[in-house]
Amino acid sequence: MLLRSLNPVAVARGDDIPDAVRIGDSTLSRSDVLGAATSVAERISRADRVAVLATPSVTTVLAVVGCLIAGVTAVPVPPDSGRAELEHILRDSGAQAWLGEAPQNAAGLPVIPVRLHARSWHSYPEPPDTATAFILYTSGTTGPPKGVLLSRKAIAAGLDALAEAWEWTGADTVVHGLPLFHIHGLILGVLGPLRFGGPLVHTVKPVPKAYAAARGTMYFGVPTVWSRIADDPESARALSSARLLVSGSAPLPVPVFDKIRELTGLALIERYGMSETMLTLSTRADGERRPGWVGVPLRGVETRLRDERGGDVSRDGESIGGLQVRGPMLFDGYLGRPEATAQSWTEDGWFKTGDVAVIDPGGFHRIVGRESTDLIKSGGFRVGAGEVETSLLGHPSVREAAVVGVPDPDLGQRLVAFVVGENVSETELIDHVAAELSVHKRPREIRVVDSLPRNAMGKVQKNQLF
């Protein structure tokens, strides 16, 4: 059973948790979730796909769980979607109705309400593990968002591999305030607690004081969240009693890693994944935590690096290559995009992530960035933008940094760094990188900006920097 803690037999015998799900001021017991979600399932059981406006609310949780009980595919929709994006997701997914609520700029689809106090104890057979549980839409940085097909068995395999790496059990209380339309907030942050049995506390917004007040054992956040917590020492110290602090969805600056460890006594867990693969790499609860590195393959996962000609790349901790993965938690393809699906896989069955990375002799991985934007070919050298960004973030005048390659008639591409900070000296930063890394990795230009454009998960959208 995908959501093991919602086993009707266990709930019926009184094995309940009074605060299984708490989102803001709303709290549901385990039996509340089962009863209300089963009532949802009764109303949608004849549907194929429904759209869920993924607000941070118990309505979203009940809608998603109702879909899983009924075997109906859920299409989580970002609440801040613009009209064009919204129309694309609805048209592309083939969603037949809105489940829970509809956005103001949506029209044409019926709305099926989610009633928080309705209860049903009807028993549904477990859907096939090959059934598509979710269609998650990518960020669309290289065109219209693509629908990623995630099966029930992929979700179960991914969560169980994480449980083994993180020693995650029903004794853990998960705390986060992440969006509920991506892997991190929805599958890890909602389905994880419902699979393993521990409470979920969603803070609605991922602000330091809310995290501090939650008193959990596992905290999930993106680097922006951890940076704000690091700047709030009182809230950070309140997390000292936690078991794991987890960062993902974007690279974590080393200074933030160091400051959180200083304030809490805990070294952050860093991990790597994407919509198509869920999580495939992570540092372990019982293993080394190296700032800037995302750890080792999870159980059942294999990785390799390939150069531009498809050849092997050395696992020496320095050589950069395209990261390819395979494992039981990978997606079933892009909805209605057979060509894009075929192009994302090698002939021998490896998924091409589009990210570039290095792997050290011990199997530790460091993600350099996206091959399309973060692998910069300058003066005959291959330079990873992430390595240069990490160096810049180590300078006291820099709060945020993004490095890109721009066309150059002499070098092919030259490195340009966009930085947010105070009292920034272009010459000092260029010299800092040249001394810490090497001369050919130094930015040729520093541009000071007020902020960096980021998406909902905190990733810098480099295509908007120009």
Side-chain angles (χ1 to χ4, degrees):
M1 183 176 184
L2 180 56
L3 304 182
R4 294 191 303 236
S5 75
L6 295 183
N7 186 326
V9 175
V11 173
R13 70 170 181 251
D15 182 15
D16 202 359
I17 297 178
D19 54 351
V21 175
R22 174 154 53 94
I23 301 184
D25 296 327
S26 300
T27 300
L28 298 174
S29 70
R30 184 180 290 169
S31 61
D32 289 336
V33 175
L34 177 60
T38 303
S39 176
V40 170
E42 287 188 345
R43 293 195 292 279
I44 63 170
S45 60
R46 296 184 180 182
D48 294 318
R49 299 170 185 168
V50 294
V52 177
L53 189 65
T55 59
S57 65
V58 293
T59 298
T60 297
V61 172
L62 294 176
V64 166
V65 175
C67 288
L68 292 173
I69 291 173
V72 173
T73 300
V75 183
V77 177
D80 61 349
S81 294
R83 183 170 58 85
E85 180 182 11
L86 187 62
E87 290 176 353
H88 169 75
I89 291 174
L90 296 179
R91 181 177 61 253
D92 188 70
S93 69
Q96 297 158 296
W98 285 100
L99 179 57
E101 58 181 313
Q104 292 183 348
N105 57 344
L109 289 183
V111 178
I112 302 171
V114 170
R115 300 185 177 96
L116 301 185
H117 301 292
R119 298 291 182 269
S120 171
W121 306 111
H122 180 78
S123 179
Y124 283 85
E126 180 75 3
D129 63 3
T130 55
T132 300
F134 295 105
I135 303 174
L136 297 181
Y137 278 83
T138 62
S139 57
T141 56
T142 57
K146 297 190 290 289
V148 173
L149 302 171
L150 279 180
S151 69
R152 299 171 71 92
K153 67 177 180 180
I155 292 169
L159 289 175
D160 289 349
L162 276 180
E164 189 273 332
W166 294 350
E167 300 175 3
W168 187 355
T169 72
D172 283 303
T173 296
V174 172
V175 178
H176 71 92
L178 300 173
L180 300 186
F181 48 86
H182 279 312
I183 295 289
H184 199 168
L186 177 60
I187 294 182
L188 272 64
V190 174
L191 302 193
L194 292 176
R195 182 165 177 81
F196 304 126
L200 160 65
V201 178
H202 193 287
T203 60
V204 181
K205 293 183 178 180
V207 295
K209 285 182 170 50
Y211 271 42
R215 302 298 178 183
T217 63
M218 294 174 64
Y219 288 80
F220 297 164
V222 298
T224 302
V225 173
W226 293 117
S227 178
R228 291 171 180 169
I229 291 174
D231 289 337
D232 185 342
E234 183 180 354
S235 293
R237 293 189 186 99
L239 307 187
S240 299
S241 60
R243 192 175 65 81
L244 292 181
L245 309 179
V246 181
S247 181
S249 299
L252 179 73
V254 174
V256 175
F257 179 101
D258 291 338
K259 195 169 182 181
I260 291 291
R261 180 166 53 183
E262 176 187 339
L263 290 168
T264 66
L266 299 169
L268 279 154
I269 288 277
E270 296 185 65
R271 85 305 180 281
Y272 166 81
M274 54 196 305
S275 299
E276 292 89 338
T277 68
M278 298 215 297
L279 293 200
T280 51
L281 301 167
S282 181
T283 49
R284 296 178 59 88
D286 60 356
E288 179 186 1
R289 304 179 199 179
R290 190 186 307 171
W293 295 69
V294 294
V296 297
L298 297 179
R299 183 180 63 194
V301 174
E302 298 174 86
T303 64
R304 69 184 188 186
L305 299 180
R306 289 293 185 264
D307 63 22
E308 293 165 331
R309 296 176 299 278
D312 286 331
V313 173
S314 176
R315 295 186 170 217
D316 57 11
E318 295 290 338
S319 300
I320 298 172
L323 179 64
Q324 299 178 4
V325 303
R326 62 183 181 187
M329 63 286 292
L330 270 63
F331 75 134
D332 289 331
Y334 297 111
L335 176 66
R337 307 280 185 92
E339 292 184 2
T341 300
Q343 290 170 0
S344 67
W345 294 86
T346 65
E347 290 183 358
D348 56 346
W350 293 75
F351 176 70
K352 296 182 285 188
T353 66
D355 287 321
V356 286
V358 300
I359 306 175
D360 78 2
F364 246 63
H365 292 60
R366 178 168 60 82
I367 305 300
V368 173
R370 295 299 291 171
E371 192 166 10
S372 58
T373 57
D374 296 319
L375 181 59
I376 302 168
K377 300 168 187 175
S378 181
F381 295 99
R382 290 157 59 92
V383 181
E387 184 180 21
V388 181
E389 290 161 358
T390 297
S391 177
L392 288 167
L393 288 166
H395 193 279
S397 70
V398 177
R399 292 202 314 274
E400 299 179 67
V403 173
V404 299
V406 302
D408 185 275
D410 179 42
L411 299 170
Q413 288 181 296
R414 71 179 187 279
L415 276 70
V416 175
F418 293 79
V419 302
V420 178
E422 293 83 25
N423 302 316
V424 173
S425 165
E426 180 175 15
T427 301
E428 188 175 327
L429 287 185
I430 292 173
D431 291 345
H432 168 79
V433 174
E436 191 170 74
L437 300 179
S438 61
V439 172
H440 73 266
K441 295 180 180 179
R442 72 191 188 281
R444 302 301 177 117
E445 181 184 349
I446 303 290
R447 300 184 188 179
V448 181
V449 294
D450 293 331
S451 63
L452 298 178
R454 296 180 183 273
N455 65 15
M457 296 306 293
K459 294 180 182 179
V460 177
Q461 297 178 296
K462 293 187 177 182
N463 59 333
Q464 296 184 18
L465 287 170
F466 298 95

